[in-house]
């Protein structure tokens, strides 16, 4: 067990709960979920009951009322066993729920957050578009004001939970004169029915029939992905969606500023996820190399293997403290943009390296689904892409270092 | 339904145990302590009974050092209502003084059921539950693996050598819990936050030493290395001979 002197007893206890749950409930099903690309409703329900779906949100809003590092530890520990479960929690919490907690009116919080924080309904964040990925300010989705509502038209792609979820924060351009710039983008809360109504009704979570749904919002085809296969990624279509003005989130025109803050949070989440993946890969290697015999002895007795394990462990430790540091800064109200970008950049690139190494140390067995390391390797790569690519993280970090000297885009 | 669950703080079963300088106790430094796993079953069963009844109170009681507050909080995080710590610096090896202190606390509590784990994984004495029952003149069913409570009566199953024993008993009663009784819940994160605000009474107690004393602790003997007696069918007679005459297992 990881024992870190600067964590509180409560944070250690949270780790134990998350690790115990992941080992007992997720490990036995992770391989099949990945192969079948099936969303794990049963374990998501349990995660809701345990408070994982709203760990950092106030108890009054049906969150668990935990500190931010406790949340980070939950995301890390889930990814140690299965990255899909981890991204489900992270995307739901930091992308889906946090904008409403951070920028919502009291009335919006009361209306949406308890459903989300308790895990009764899944949430997501629709920012990326076919023409606006790294260049998120290039949003083409338009929102036209009509009396007491807006009409939204556009397409959001690669949206986590677009299919399974019911509550989404989406961005759209409210000021057409400011095309291709961050100004004039507004955030909206939209709702739709989950695509899994029958399963949800059977399992008892995921669908809120009483929640009014936004006409014109629907999910399209599910992406067939390399990794995070048990997580739901789809296009979210806004087809003349009629969104009442009470669902405008934050100040009109402030959408760009707000989602940059949401992405900072998301980056700590992806950092924690990547850290957990790398730790999981190391743990698999420690077990396997001690058991696997070649040339009459365990392969862990070869010095080349020592070096690989030592490098992995050292980099993981470095990543862990970067991620926790970013979480600590956020928790204590300090600026954390640069730390979050560094944590995500370093941890996600490490996860790719460490999981590739893990497959290597497992030899041919590692290349089969008999061992989890091939799945970990596939799951790691997207950490370098989602919520801002590694290149974008470097741009963010350089901009923080250099200030406005570098007028780079991204 | 008012239920008491007595719990003990014990070293984690995976902890590496070191003997301290006195040679009579373990060195607690760096050792992780947990709620005695057999008492997780007890807490779970108490919570399930309360939930089924729709009302009631689950009180968690522990005798031990200040650190046992943590153990009590774990049970509170699972859902118990309040805790009582009978604070003492030293838990004697003899279970009787501990049983007396617990019995004194339990006597006036008006409990319908009093749960213990069937044993604590540190000393394996199995003693406290039955002793408390005796001190309070209550019926005691030990090592239960199934339980039903209805109309002021209980029915429990005990797994015994080669079968299952079914025992009926009147309430109030003392029960000690075995593996298989239930699947203990994880404390929810929300539960941990709520547990901080639940009442936990700390009462100083002075325990007698009792009639037992630890003379010394020692590590189990190291396991001897294995021996390969030969290969293939030709080795079978030598193996049979070794199993018969050396290991004496055949
Ligand atoms: C599984 C998954 C889940 C996702 N979930 C969500 C979600 O829930 N919500 C959401 O809004 N989005 C989500 N995304 C989208 C994700 O955020 C984008 O894919 C990502 O931001 C990159 O955008 P893009 O795919 O358009 O790539 P592009 O922006 O086209 O980038 C292509 C390449 O060009 C590089 N590049 C671009 N600009 C620069 C530059 N200025 N300097 C140097 N290099 C540059 C990039 O780094 C990258 O290597 C998800 C994506 C995936 C794969």
């Amino acid at each position: 067990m990881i024992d870190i002197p600067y964590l509180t007893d409560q944070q250690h206890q949270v780790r134990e709960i998350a690790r115990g749950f992941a080992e007992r409930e997720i490990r036995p099903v992770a391989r099949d979920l990945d192969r079948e690309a099936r969303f794990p409703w049963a374990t998501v329900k349990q995660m809701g009951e345990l408070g994982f779906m709203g760990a950092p949100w106030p108890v009054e809003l049906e969150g668990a009322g935990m500190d931010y590092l406790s949340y980070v530890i939950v995301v890390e520990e889930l990814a140690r066993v299965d990255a899909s479960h981890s991204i489900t929690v992270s995307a739901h919490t930091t992308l889906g729920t946090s904008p409403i907690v951070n920028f919502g009116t009291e009335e919006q919080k009361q209306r949406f957050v308890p459903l989300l924080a308790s895990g009764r309904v899944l949430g997501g964040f629709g920012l990326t578009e076919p023409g606006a990925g790294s260049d998120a300010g290039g949003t083409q989705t338009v929102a036209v004001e009509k009396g007491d509502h807006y009409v939204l038209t556009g397409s959001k792609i690669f949206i986590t939970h677009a299919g399974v979820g019911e509550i989404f924060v989406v961005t759209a351009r409210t000021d057409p004169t400011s095309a291709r710039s961050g100004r004039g983008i507004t955030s909206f809360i939209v709702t739709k029915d989950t695509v899994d109504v029958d399963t949800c009704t059977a399992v008892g979570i995921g669908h809120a029939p009483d929640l009014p749904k936004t006409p014109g919002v629907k999910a399209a085809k599910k992406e067939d992905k390399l990794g995070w296969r048990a997580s739901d990624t789809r296009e979210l279509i806004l087809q003349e969606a009629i969104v009442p003005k009470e669902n405008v989130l934050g100040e009109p025109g402030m959408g760009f500023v707000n989602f940059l803050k949401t992405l900072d949070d998301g980056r700590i989440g992806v950092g924690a996820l990547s850290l957990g993946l790398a730790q999981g890969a190391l743990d698999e290697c420690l077990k396997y190399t001690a058991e696997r015999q070649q040339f009459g002895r365990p392969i862990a007795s070869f010095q080349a293997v020592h070096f690989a394990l030592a490098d992995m462990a050292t980099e993981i430790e470095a990543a862990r403290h970067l991620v926790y540091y970013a979480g600590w800064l956020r928790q204590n109200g300090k600026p954390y943009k640069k730390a979050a970008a560094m944590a995500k950049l370093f941890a996600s690139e490490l996860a790719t390296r460490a999981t590739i190494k893990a497959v290597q140390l497992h030899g041919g067995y590692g290349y089969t689904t008999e061992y989890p390391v091939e799945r970990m390797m596939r799951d790691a790569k997207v950490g370098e892409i989602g919520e801002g690519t590694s290149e974008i993280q470097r741009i963010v970090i350089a901009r923080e270092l250099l200030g406005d000297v570098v007028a780079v885009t991204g | 339904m008012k239920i008491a669950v007595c719990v003990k703080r014990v070293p984690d079963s995976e902890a590496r145990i070191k003997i301290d300088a006195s040679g009579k106790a373990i060195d607690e430094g760096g050792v992780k302590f947990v709620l005695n796993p057999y008492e997780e079953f007890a807490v779970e069963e108490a919570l399930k009974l309360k939930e089924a009844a729709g009302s009631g109170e689950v009180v968690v009681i522990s005798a031990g050092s200040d650190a046992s507050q943590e153990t009590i909080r774990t049970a509170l995080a699972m859902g118990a209502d309040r805790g009582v710590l009978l604070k003492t610096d030293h838990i004697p090896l003899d279970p009787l003084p501990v049983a007396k202190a617990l019995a004194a606390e339990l006597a006036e509590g008006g409990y319908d059921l009093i749960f213990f784990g069937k044993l604590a994984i540190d000393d394996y004495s199995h003693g406290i539950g039955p002793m408390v029952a005796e001190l309070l003149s209550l019926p005691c069913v030990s090592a239960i693996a199934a339980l039903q409570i209805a109309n002021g009566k209980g029915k429990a199953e005990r797994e015994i050598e080669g079968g299952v024993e079914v025992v009926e008993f009147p309430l109030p009663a003392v029960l000690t819990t075995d593996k298989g009784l239930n699947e203990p819940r994880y404390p929810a994160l929300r539960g941990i936050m709520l547990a901080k605000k639940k009442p936990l009474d700390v009462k100083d107690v002075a325990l007698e030493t009792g009639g037992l004393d630890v003379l010394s602790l020692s590590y189990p003997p190291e396991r001897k290395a294995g021996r390969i007696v030969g290969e293939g069918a030709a080795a079978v007679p030598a193996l049979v001979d070794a199993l018969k005459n050396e290991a004496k297992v055949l």
Side-chain angles (χ1 to χ4, degrees):
Chain A
M1 194 42 100
I2 296 156
D3 193 8
I4 296 170
Y6 62 76
L7 296 188
T8 62
D9 284 350
Q10 181 187 305
Q11 287 157 348
H12 283 116
Q13 195 182 358
V14 168
R15 184 189 301 283
E16 238 168 81
I17 293 170
R19 179 170 296 196
F21 174 77
E23 289 291 347
R24 197 155 93 181
E25 308 294 337
I26 302 176
R27 191 177 291 284
V29 295
R31 186 173 88 167
D32 287 348
L33 291 171
D34 170 74
R35 187 163 33 205
E36 296 158 24
R38 184 156 47 82
F39 188 77
W41 281 111
T43 37
V44 169
K45 179 180 184 191
Q46 288 175 295
M47 294 200 294
E49 287 162 357
L50 284 171
F52 292 2
M53 304 304 280
W57 313 131
V59 174
E60 303 77 62
L61 293 172
E62 295 194 35
M66 290 256 148
D67 57 87
Y68 210 74
L69 264 184
S70 294
Y71 159 69
V72 163
I73 289 167
V74 169
V75 173
E76 173 193 350
E77 285 299 330
L78 293 174
R80 189 180 152 272
V81 172
D82 181 38
S84 288
H85 277 79
S86 181
I87 190 59
T88 296
V89 167
S90 174
H92 172 80
T93 308
T94 27
L95 297 184
T97 317
S98 87
I100 307 179
V101 174
N102 289 334
F103 310 114
T105 62
E106 203 43 48
E107 190 271 332
Q108 287 169 335
K109 286 187 208 176
Q110 294 298 340
R111 198 143 50 99
F112 299 109
V113 178
L115 279 173
L116 294 163
S118 62
R120 292 203 293 284
V121 157
L122 287 164
F125 182 57
L127 175 65
T128 306
E129 299 180 1
S134 298
D135 178 17
T139 298
Q140 298 300 308
T141 297
V142 290
V144 180
E145 195 173 347
K146 282 211 173 127
D148 63 350
H149 63 270
Y150 282 88
V151 179
L152 270 61
T153 306
S155 148
K156 300 288 180 178
I157 51 159
F158 301 138
I159 306 309
T160 303
H161 299 159
V164 296
E166 300 212 327
I167 300 173
F168 297 85
V169 173
V170 299
T171 52
R173 194 166 289 288
T174 34
D175 178 3
T177 60
S178 67
R180 293 224 51 78
S181 89
R183 280 189 313 278
I185 294 177
T186 300
S187 298
F188 297 86
I189 303 170
V190 301
T191 55
K192 60 171 254 307
D193 283 318
T194 174
V195 293
D196 285 345
V197 172
D198 291 346
T199 317
C200 288
T201 311
V203 177
I205 57 150
H207 181 45
D210 298 342
L211 178 74
K213 304 294 157 44
T214 314
V217 181
K218 61 175 205 268
K221 190 181 98 348
K222 186 165 141 182
E223 299 292 347
D224 189 13
K225 308 192 292 294
L226 175 68
W228 289 5
R229 289 180 57 79
S231 156
D232 176 66
T233 317
R234 301 181 196 234
E235 182 178 359
L236 186 70
I237 297 171
L238 303 160
Q239 209 164 39
E240 299 188 1
I242 297 172
V243 185
K245 278 195 174 154
E246 72 225 35
N247 281 20
V248 170
L249 181 64
E251 293 273 299
M254 290 298 284
F256 188 68
V257 180
N258 293 351
F259 76 63
L260 289 183
K261 184 165 156 45
T262 301
L263 288 181
D264 289 341
D265 281 358
R267 284 164 190 169
I268 300 178
V270 174
L273 178 151
S274 301
L275 163 65
L277 252 178
Q279 180 69 52
L282 173 62
D283 291 348
E284 290 299 323
C285 291
L286 292 175
K287 222 168 40 200
Y288 186 79
T289 59
E291 279 164 11
R292 173 69 175 166
Q293 301 260 343
Q294 285 293 279
F295 300 98
R297 48 197 175 126
I299 58 171
S301 66
F302 299 118
Q303 203 178 43
V305 174
H306 295 169
F307 285 10
L309 296 174
D311 284 347
M312 255 190 197
T314 306
E315 290 189 284
I316 288 168
E317 212 53 28
R320 171 164 294 117
H321 299 301
L322 266 178
V323 170
Y324 291 0
Y325 177 57
W328 184 89
L329 289 174
R330 177 178 185 306
Q331 181 173 310
N332 289 284
K334 314 229 182 277
Y336 61 100
K337 180 183 276 301
K338 185 175 70 177
M342 286 177 166
K344 194 244 183 204
L345 172 65
F346 186 77
S348 64
E349 296 196 348
L350 161 65
T352 300
R353 277 197 303 280
T355 53
I356 289 175
K357 195 73 196 180
V359 171
Q360 190 67 19
L361 288 173
H362 279 67
Y365 299 94
Y367 199 67
T368 70
T369 57
E370 200 64 28
Y371 288 87
V373 287
E374 62 82 29
R375 171 167 50 85
M376 293 175 159
M377 182 176 115
R378 289 184 286 105
D379 283 341
K381 184 64 198 172
V382 64
E384 298 174 68
I385 297 170
E387 309 195 27
T389 62
S390 283
E391 292 73 20
I392 294 303
Q393 305 310 320
R394 289 187 167 89
I395 291 171
V396 170
I397 295 163
R399 192 183 284 150
E400 291 287 310
L401 293 173
L402 297 165
D404 291 333
V405 178
V406 277
V408 280
T409 56
Chain B
M1 175 96 63
K2 191 170 176 190
I3 307 172
V5 185
C6 299
V7 303
K8 186 177 186 185
R9 174 177 182 264
V10 297
D12 189 13
S13 59
E14 281 173 27
R16 203 168 285 171
I17 299 295
K18 274 195 289 196
I19 298 170
D20 75 3
S22 77
K24 295 183 179 185
I26 66 160
D27 181 354
E28 297 200 350
V31 175
K32 192 177 141 227
F33 284 82
V34 296
L35 168 64
N36 177 32
Y38 284 97
E39 275 133 22
E40 288 184 8
F41 302 121
V43 174
E44 176 64 34
E45 199 63 18
L47 294 174
K48 275 168 60 177
L49 287 171
K50 180 188 148 179
E51 284 159 7
S55 71
E57 190 183 27
V58 176
V59 182
V60 182
I61 304 170
S62 184
S65 66
D66 224 12
S68 297
Q69 287 201 37
E70 228 180 273
T71 314
I72 295 174
R73 294 269 177 222
T74 302
L76 296 180
M78 287 171 75
D81 299 291
R82 63 183 175 90
V84 178
L85 172 62
L86 305 178
K87 195 176 143 195
T88 168
D89 288 340
H90 178 66
I91 292 281
L93 179 66
D94 188 345
L96 189 56
V98 184
K100 282 183 180 167
L102 288 168
E105 171 64 28
L106 291 160
E108 305 301 322
Y111 295 106
D112 300 298
L113 283 171
I114 301 171
F115 280 102
F116 292 82
K118 79 163 178 183
L119 61 87
I121 63 162
D122 53 355
D123 60 20
Y124 269 67
S125 88
H126 296 70
I128 301 219
M131 283 182 179
V132 168
E134 193 58 31
L135 290 166
L136 297 175
S137 302
L138 292 177
C140 176
V141 188
S142 60
I144 63 167
L147 178 66
Q148 285 166 22
I149 302 286
N151 310 321
K153 274 199 300 205
K155 193 161 127 185
E157 287 179 16
R158 311 176 66 236
E159 277 166 23
I160 55 170
E161 197 66 45
V164 171
E165 185 177 66
V166 182
V167 183
E168 280 189 344
F169 57 90
L171 264 47
V174 172
L175 303 170
T176 80
T177 53
D178 201 354
K179 256 203 290 279
L181 178 61
N182 53 45
E183 186 69 15
R185 67 195 65 187
Y186 300 94
L189 302 196
R190 217 177 138 79
I192 295 177
M193 298 311 284
L194 295 174
K196 289 185 179 176
K197 297 188 188 121
K198 291 181 180 173
L200 199 173
D201 263 354
V202 180
K203 303 180 181 174
D204 283 309
V205 294
L207 299 188
E208 304 156 23
T209 352
L212 295 174
D213 204 4
V214 180
L215 296 182
S216 69
L217 292 180
S218 61
Y219 296 103
E222 268 195 46
R223 225 187 284 171
K224 290 200 202 96
R227 180 162 62 87
I228 294 170
V229 294
E231 257 180 57
V236 172
L239 179 65
V240 171
D241 180 66
L243 290 173
K244 238 188 205 151
N245 299 317
E246 263 178 68
K248 301 195 164 58
V249 292
L250 287 185

